[in-house]
Amino acid sequence: MRELAHLADIVPTVLEVCALPRDQSLAGRSLCEPLPAERVILGLTEGVDQPRAYVMRGTQKIARGMAGGYLASDLGLDPGEKHGVRLADGQLFDAWWRAAFDASRAFPPPVPIDEELTAEQQAELSELGYGGALEDDAPQEPR
């Protein structure tokens, strides 16, 4: 495979291999079919010295750092990203970021739960990694 693949491609691929219907709300594509060469992939990372977000198109990658700066790399020529070029602004990053989303598709709003969860249900969700602080209560990042 020469095209860019993404973790989001795993579920559509498994569905196709298992001959199950594809969920149109999934962002990924099956790896059993050719992927567009100009496909844009985006991602978010966390860490002290890592970029906050990146976009990739072909072998080109643009990362937006924690301080808001942009670094462009050609992964074909520099797979270790040791010789990136700083960009003056993020216009290309923003354009690629928008291109990664299908504006015609929107996800439905979350459905509120009208009843309180039992302690057992809360414990099960917590074990799965859900049920932490509410967004309003979560610590905010320093600006």
Side-chain angles (χ1 to χ4, degrees):
M1 164 167 292
R2 293 186 169 304
E3 299 89 359
L4 287 174
H6 193 271
L7 286 175
D9 299 326
I10 293 173
V11 171
T13 302
V14 170
L15 290 173
E16 183 170 338
V17 169
C18 295
L20 295 171
R22 174 167 163 55
D23 182 344
Q24 295 303 316
S25 69
L26 295 174
R29 304 266 310 256
S30 171
L31 299 175
C32 297
E33 59 193 47
L35 297 173
E38 292 300 310
R39 180 179 193 203
V40 176
I41 293 191
L42 56 92
L44 302 171
T45 59
E46 293 183 20
V48 177
D49 296 326
Q50 296 180 354
R52 287 248 188 227
Y54 64 88
V55 290
M56 295 173 58
R57 188 173 188 176
T59 62
Q60 304 298 312
K61 179 178 180 180
I62 302 173
R64 181 180 61 205
M66 294 178 75
Y70 297 88
L71 188 67
S73 301
D74 184 329
L75 300 178
L77 300 174
D78 180 21
E81 300 180 60
K82 305 287 185 195
H83 307 286
V85 175
R86 295 212 176 274
L87 301 178
D89 63 48
Q91 289 182 354
L92 187 56
F93 177 94
D94 293 340
W96 286 4
W97 187 272
R98 285 189 304 274
F101 293 102
D102 178 357
S104 68
R105 190 175 75 191
F107 293 99
V111 177
I113 299 173
D114 293 334
E115 55 193 58
E116 291 291 319
L117 296 175
T118 66
E120 182 179 331
Q121 290 170 323
Q122 289 177 342
E124 286 177 19
L125 287 172
S126 182
E127 285 180 30
L128 293 171
Y130 298 102
L134 296 174
E135 286 184 28
D136 292 343
D137 298 336
Q140 299 296 313
E141 259 180 52
R143 293 189 181 246

